[in-house]
Amino acid sequence: MAVTDEAIEKIKGMIVSGALRPGDRLPKESELAAELGLSRNSLREAVRALSLIRILDVRQGDGTYVTSLDPQLLLEALSFVVDFHRDDTVLEFLAVRRILEPAATAMAASRITEDQLDLLGSQLDALGSRPSVEELVAGDLEFHRGIVQSSGNSVLCSLLDGLSGPTTRARVWRGLTQEDAVSRTLHEHRAILSALRDRDAEAARAWSTVHVASVEQWLRSTL
């Protein structure tokens, strides 16, 4: 494992230094192993590990390439890891979301376009006043993703996407057990959208905080 770690660090060093850039093809295995002073086996293991976390892209019959290193691609590993959370850590994920999502919503207030606002409004209208829990959760994910994407920060968007797994389960559970959850969620969505239409960043931040905190508070009382 120590030899593989060394190989990973050496390839990482090449990418960080700019010797290998996004989209570049790695030298042939034998050449790269000799250049880095590694065995071909340890190099192979390092390439396999780095491909799993989307740093490298192994194309059969073509070679190994550095990926785009786009934040959304790299943070896919986060959502994979998040799926292994224990139920008693859902609150911690929600707490992180309560920090990040209101900030993203406030950022979106000055950047979101009228067309994007109209689309969010249409999505809320399509849900109606009495959607099923499944429809509400799917709509909730789509609503917040649309807002966060409008913040203009791809890293923030990818982080929040990665955190949506455990919080989705909490929202489903809440919708099944709390009578006013559906109406409260729809009301809070409308309030967030209204603040965004007014370009009121602080109101948008406040309503987003209320929205996430209400799920967190309810879940805290049930655990």
Side-chain angles (χ1 to χ4, degrees):
M1 183 58 69
V3 177
T4 302
D5 288 345
E6 180 188 2
I8 290 172
E9 284 300 318
K10 287 187 174 181
I11 296 173
K12 174 185 172 183
M14 293 181 71
I15 295 172
V16 171
S17 70
L20 286 173
R21 297 182 179 277
D24 281 356
R25 180 178 177 175
L26 270 65
K28 291 181 179 179
E29 184 181 90
S30 57
E31 295 174 5
L32 186 58
E35 179 183 343
L36 297 178
L38 301 168
S39 71
R40 294 178 67 171
N41 186 58
S42 62
L43 177 61
R44 202 171 295 130
E45 290 298 322
V47 167
R48 185 177 294 115
L50 290 170
S51 68
L52 287 174
I53 57 173
R54 305 292 194 267
I55 302 295
L56 298 179
D57 179 21
V58 180
R59 304 175 190 174
Q60 293 298 327
D62 186 15
T64 299
Y65 293 79
V66 180
T67 67
S68 65
L69 302 180
D70 180 80
Q72 187 169 2
L73 183 68
L74 297 179
L75 287 169
E76 282 181 7
L78 171 65
S79 60
F80 179 79
V81 172
V82 164
D83 285 338
F84 289 96
H85 79 286
R86 302 187 314 273
D87 287 345
D88 61 356
T89 62
V90 172
L91 281 170
E92 295 181 12
F93 285 109
L94 278 168
V96 174
R97 185 180 161 218
R98 178 163 47 84
I99 295 168
L100 297 179
E101 193 159 299
T105 304
M107 290 168 64
S110 62
R111 294 176 171 88
I112 194 166
T113 67
E114 290 298 323
D115 285 345
Q116 289 169 322
L117 288 167
D118 289 343
L119 177 59
L120 291 174
S122 298
Q123 290 169 349
L124 291 180
D125 291 341
L127 280 177
S129 59
R130 303 190 65 174
S132 68
V133 173
E134 291 76 14
E135 290 171 336
L136 181 67
V137 171
D140 187 60
L141 286 167
E142 188 175 29
F143 180 78
H144 292 292
R145 183 176 290 118
I147 292 172
V148 174
Q149 286 175 342
S150 299
S151 73
N153 189 312
S154 60
V155 174
L156 193 52
C157 186
S158 297
L159 281 170
L160 284 165
D161 258 355
L163 292 169
S164 68
T167 55
T168 297
R169 290 177 59 185
R171 286 198 296 270
V172 171
W173 188 14
R174 179 187 187 213
L176 290 171
T177 59
Q178 193 177 56
E179 288 185 6
D180 65 342
V182 172
S183 60
R184 281 185 61 180
T185 297
L186 294 174
H187 171 70
E188 289 161 3
H189 280 183
R190 291 288 182 189
I192 292 170
L193 180 58
S194 178
L196 291 173
R197 284 196 183 280
D198 291 340
R199 307 295 175 179
D200 189 334
E202 290 311 307
R205 185 197 305 273
W207 274 110
S208 180
T209 302
V210 167
H211 182 56
V212 180
S214 65
V215 178
E216 186 182 357
Q217 184 180 37
W218 167 82
L219 185 58
R220 192 182 301 279
S221 70
T222 64
L223 291 177

